[in-house]
Amino acid sequence: MQITLLIMHFTVCLFLIVLVLIQQGKGADAGIVYGSGNASSVFGARGSTSFLVKLTTACAILFFVTTLLLGMRENQVSHQRLAMVELEDITAEVVE
């Protein structure tokens, strides 16, 4: 399960980086108003902005969810390891 979460987390991270790099900055729209730049796009003049923002938001939420799940899983594993170490210490004291 942890390997699946790590692969999913890595994929979401890469996809989120690409999405952020694809998007235009807020000041990039001013160039279109004054005649420079290309106003047409695959999704229409205004459609790509809202689509990419929604996709980035969904990807960011998925990133936080996978981060929390990985953290919770690691916490669970570390508690199990700690319990095993304490059990070994108690057993060693009884044997001596």
Side-chain angles (χ1 to χ4, degrees), residues 12-70:
V12 169
C13 287
L14 289 178
F15 193 63
L16 186 60
I17 289 170
V18 169
L19 281 175
V20 168
L21 290 176
I22 287 175
Q23 293 182 29
Q24 294 180 4
K26 295 283 184 189
D29 293 335
I32 294 172
V33 173
Y34 295 114
S36 64
N38 188 4
S40 63
S41 69
V42 176
F43 302 103
R46 192 69 188 143
S48 67
T49 304
S50 64
F51 174 74
L52 287 176
V53 168
K54 288 178 184 177
L55 192 59
T56 304
T57 303
C59 194
I61 290 170
L62 189 58
F63 171 78
F64 285 119
V65 168
T66 57
T67 302
L68 288 173
L69 289 174
L70 281 170

